Amino acid sequence: MFGTVLVANRGEIACRVIATLHRLGIRAVAVFTDEDRGALHVTRADEARRIDSYLSVDAVLAAARSAGADAIHPGYGFLSENADLARACDAAGVVFVGPGVKALEVMGDKIRAKEHVSAAGVPVIPGSSTVDAAAAERVGYPLLVKPSAGGGGKGMAVVERPDELAAALVGARRVAAAAFGDDTLLLERLVRAPRHIEVQLLADEHGVVRHLGERECSLQRRHQKVIEEAPSPLLDVATRARIGEAACEVARSVGYVGAGTVEFLVSDEAPTEFFFMEMNTRLQVEHPVTELVTGLDLVEWQLRIAAGEPLTVDVAMTGHAIEARVYAEDPARDFLPSTGTVLVLEEPTGEGIRVDSALRTGLEIGSTYDPMLAKVIAWAPDRAGAIARLDQALARTSILGVRTNIAYLRQVLADQEVRAGRLHTGLLGGLTPAVAADRVPLIAAVLSRVPGRDGAWGSDGWRLGDARPLRFEVGDVEVSVQGSTVTVGGDEPVEARLVRRGPAEVELDLDGVVHPLRLVSDGPVTWVDDVELRFRSRVERLADELAALTRGTRPADPQVRSPMPGIVVSVDVRTGDDVVAGQHLLTIEAMKMEHRVVAPSDGIVTLAVRPTDRVALDHVVATITGHPDEGTPA
């Protein structure tokens, strides 16, 4: 076994790998960029070395050499499927904890991979390596544009009609080049309402290949997995054996060594049919659910196999496991990435609960890297029990200071289709985020009780002892407060009393019922559990009302603002251009996700940014002024 291993990654996966290295008595060396100098994986390692980029083969290998590392574990993402790194490791005498160059090259090119497995008799989805209008017509609409060299849904785009193809190709190439250093694309027939099922496998250098069962990964948004589980509630015993053997055949065909995953599309209407999509030649984000149902440590077996040990595992799946990915994103703003500082952190523990995380209090969440913050995983003897445990674990997860999808994850778990196991990759696209109705009174009562500078009203001129009631809204619900009495909507008034139990812990007493909550204020923002509320002063509100009165029917706001923090990657218009409502103005990228900003109204555009500019949330990126004969918006 190795004496020292360099972990060429960041975040929760770096912490995850370091934990196994330490359990095996192996010295762990981390790498970090300037943005990650204060990251948790840096402090968890025995040693950490600065590099310019996690995507630099030369920098990673130089760090491994200088640290005296015997091997490099790449985690997932970044260089984990990079054949150049594997070659460089071979040349330098450093072990690459992953498959050989042939497997990386064949399976790293989605076009070549499909041709290869098709020749081996594994069924594939119709597609084309030629990317033009004629090829698109042959494949048939609707279709999917996919980067050949990457994964994780980055750069993928659905094209419903021919007139959408050109724009989709431009955007997909840009994201692919930025994320993977290769802008090669392919076209693939889009299968409506498919299920995404993948098979985990291990293979050693002695020719032994074992599959560890399947994972259901159909709950996705924008081709990015959100919730995964093992086993799939769809497959019967016979299909499970067939799809597992097909995955092993894919691995054998390229002499695969290490841990890998073969992904299939399975028709919900014909669950015994499956089509090869791609092979991920690395550890998967969702590997914990397989670990929980098999009892195996996949990172340990990656290391043992890389060290030349034979694969000696007896595979038996017990119970059910389900994982939820916690993202730094705002479900209320179309799941756009969010940034901030972790002010309060509480992660769940208990029987059957596991958390893979790199979070700590005070951590700055920026826009440079992937928005995934943590993974919360639950195991139970059956699927219903695992879902219930995961829901309660998420209820006990607090990450205040940055907007997350935790409440939305609980909403997904409560969905009847999800609970029944009737899943498909488009299911979450139709599930609109909502604030739980039973939380509105709690939020309202807390806000009404927070005094002085500790809360929202200290600088607003409101005083709780005023004769007239204080009125405000939480979502669509009107709240009235007078003295210690809180009235929510048309409900009966209740008595509210707030007791602080710690720096961020409060107890809210509503008519004798006590609710423990997390509460923290940061400038104009107050967090109640995972709900972020921003407040404006009365002066600001009156200014808005006055503007509305004088504006009349003219456009509401001439300023176009960034919907998320990020970097301007392209600009489609020039200052002085005449634009129409809905026209694309520019594209902003954050956390490997692109968002196209459009004109809110007709008029003449004045740009305030250029490509490569970094922008904050709500940063003014352009201004739309009316035509001379229409006047200028107020």
Side-chain angles (χ1 to χ4, degrees):
M1 186 51 72
F2 309 113
T4 300
V5 173
L6 181 134
V7 183
N9 218 293
R10 65 180 298 277
E12 61 86 17
I13 185 56
C15 292
R16 161 72 186 91
V17 174
I18 290 169
T20 291
L21 291 173
H22 284 168
R23 185 173 63 79
L24 296 175
I26 300 172
R27 179 170 171 264
V29 178
V31 290
F32 65 93
T33 61
D34 289 340
E35 293 91 340
D36 274 344
R37 185 173 292 277
L40 188 61
H41 76 276
V42 174
T43 60
R44 289 280 174 87
D46 298 288
E47 177 185 317
R49 292 176 177 260
R50 180 193 173 279
I51 58 175
D52 291 328
S53 170
Y54 295 108
L55 288 169
S56 173
V57 171
D58 291 341
V60 167
L61 194 58
R65 283 171 168 166
S66 62
D70 308 303
I72 293 176
H73 193 300
Y76 50 71
F78 295 125
L79 296 174
S80 61
E81 297 177 280
N82 189 290
D84 290 337
L85 177 60
R87 286 194 197 90
C89 286
D90 287 343
V94 177
V95 176
F96 176 73
V97 182
V101 171
K102 177 184 176 181
L104 289 167
E105 289 184 334
V106 174
M107 293 303 166
D109 182 333
K110 290 185 176 63
I111 298 169
R112 185 178 175 188
K114 289 180 67 174
E115 294 171 348
H116 181 86
V117 302
S118 180
V122 179
V124 300
I125 303 169
S128 172
S129 58
T130 303
V131 182
D132 57 28
E137 289 294 339
R138 289 194 298 272
V139 172
Y141 291 93
L143 56 80
L144 199 60
V145 177
K146 302 175 67 175
S148 177
K154 296 179 178 66
M156 292 173 60
V158 174
V159 181
E160 299 281 355
R161 304 183 305 275
D163 61 348
E164 298 176 355
L165 181 63
L169 293 177
V170 171
R173 281 199 179 95
R174 182 167 52 240
V175 173
F180 314 115
D182 183 346
D183 66 356
T184 305
L185 304 176
L186 62 87
L187 304 179
E188 189 176 90
R189 175 78 59 81
L190 179 66
V191 178
R192 294 290 192 187
R195 295 179 75 133
H196 182 148
I197 295 177
E198 62 189 27
V199 178
Q200 175 71 60
L201 56 85
L202 290 171
D204 66 19
E205 61 184 29
H206 310 288
V208 178
V209 182
R210 295 278 188 274
H211 79 81
L212 311 183
E214 84 286 354
R215 296 186 289 256
E216 174 92 47
C217 305
S218 299
L219 293 176
Q220 307 177 7
R221 286 195 62 87
R222 301 189 182 104
H223 312 292
Q224 182 67 57
K225 299 167 188 173
V226 177
I227 290 178
E228 305 99 344
E229 58 185 300
S232 167
L234 178 68
L235 302 188
D236 57 28
V237 174
T239 305
R240 178 169 292 117
R242 287 175 50 238
I243 200 171
E245 179 53 35
C248 290
E249 185 58 37
V250 170
R252 294 188 193 102
S253 72
V254 290
Y256 197 85
V257 174
T261 302
V262 182
E263 301 193 345
F264 296 91
L265 278 186
V266 182
S267 170
D268 190 56
E269 297 176 352
T272 61
E273 297 178 357
F274 49 83
F275 302 95
F276 170 86
M277 286 198 300
E278 62 185 348
M279 183 176 192
N280 291 301
T281 52
R282 53 172 167 80
L283 197 66
Q284 290 280 91
V285 175
E286 56 274 20
H287 75 275
V289 295
T290 296
E291 292 185 326
L292 288 181
V293 297
T294 63
L296 300 173
D297 182 331
L298 296 186
V299 174
E300 176 181 348
W301 275 107
Q302 283 186 296
L303 295 165
R304 293 191 179 282
I305 290 169
E309 294 186 20
L311 179 60
T312 56
V313 296
D314 294 321
V315 181
M317 298 176 68
T318 303
H320 198 96
I322 184 166
E323 169 183 297
R325 301 189 187 190
V326 178
Y327 287 112
E329 63 185 11
D330 187 356
R333 298 185 65 161
D334 197 26
F335 295 88
L336 292 175
S338 61
T339 59
T341 301
V342 179
L343 305 173
V344 174
L345 174 65
E346 182 177 342
E347 295 176 327
T349 59
E351 182 181 357
I353 301 299
R354 166 175 166 177
V355 178
D356 284 14
S357 166
L359 292 172
R360 61 171 179 77
T361 303
L363 181 66
E364 293 283 343
I365 306 298
S367 59
T368 304
Y369 299 114
D370 189 274
M372 192 177 72
L373 301 176
K375 302 176 304 195
V376 182
I377 314 104
W379 177 93
D382 56 37
R383 185 172 186 265
I387 291 176
R389 274 186 177 171
L390 179 58
D391 179 64
Q392 284 303 304
L394 290 169
R396 301 195 307 273
T397 303
S398 294
I399 308 171
L400 276 60
V402 60
R403 299 177 190 178
T404 73
N405 65 333
I406 292 175
Y408 177 74
L409 290 171
R410 297 191 66 197
Q411 182 183 346
V412 171
L413 294 176
D415 184 81
Q416 291 304 308
E417 294 293 293
V418 172
R419 287 182 173 268
R422 295 188 291 267
L423 314 176
H424 59 83
T425 57
L427 180 62
L428 297 191
L431 190 61
T432 303
V435 176
D438 61 348
R439 301 185 67 203
V440 172
L442 301 182
I443 296 168
V446 167
L447 294 178
S448 70
R449 297 292 70 183
V450 179
R453 294 184 179 180
D454 221 12
W457 313 107
S459 61
D460 200 20
W462 294 109
R463 295 293 181 269
L464 295 178
D466 285 354
R468 57 183 178 178
L470 164 65
R471 291 186 175 86
F472 58 97
E473 293 181 353
V474 178
D476 297 328
V477 181
E478 183 176 299
V479 179
S480 175
V481 180
Q482 187 152 26
S484 61
T485 303
V486 179
T487 304
V488 179
D491 296 342
E492 291 294 319
V494 295
E495 291 293 315
R497 188 170 68 92
L498 192 69
V499 179
R500 186 174 288 278
R501 297 300 187 192
E505 299 175 357
V506 297
E507 289 180 355
L508 176 68
D509 186 328
L510 286 180
D511 273 354
V513 179
V514 175
H515 304 269
L517 299 167
R518 296 290 180 267
L519 171 69
V520 66
S521 294
D522 183 25
V525 181
T526 292
W527 294 84
V528 181
D529 282 354
D530 61 344
V531 177
E532 178 193 21
L533 297 123
R534 292 178 178 268
F535 297 89
R536 295 171 299 161
S537 68
R538 284 188 295 174
V539 173
E540 292 173 314
R541 295 185 184 187
L542 288 172
D544 285 347
E545 293 172 3
L546 180 61
L549 289 174
T550 59
R551 188 165 54 235
T553 59
R554 283 175 289 177
D557 192 344
Q559 294 181 326
V560 183
R561 299 177 182 273
S562 173
M564 63 184 184
I567 297 174
V568 178
V569 294
S570 70
V571 176
D572 302 319
V573 297
R574 293 180 296 181
T575 293
D577 282 357
D578 198 344
V579 299
V580 297
Q583 181 175 341
H584 294 140
L585 301 179
L586 51 94
T587 301
I588 296 172
E589 188 269 340
M591 300 180 181
K592 308 305 180 187
M593 170 185 169
E594 286 195 349
H595 184 83
R596 305 185 77 178
V597 178
V598 302
S601 60
D602 299 353
I604 299 171
V605 64
T606 300
L607 293 171
V609 294
R610 296 175 296 179
T612 73
D613 281 357
R614 186 174 292 275
V615 295
L617 174 67
D618 290 330
H619 182 96
V620 175
V621 296
T623 302
I624 309 293
T625 56
H627 296 95
D629 57 337
E630 296 176 355
T632 303

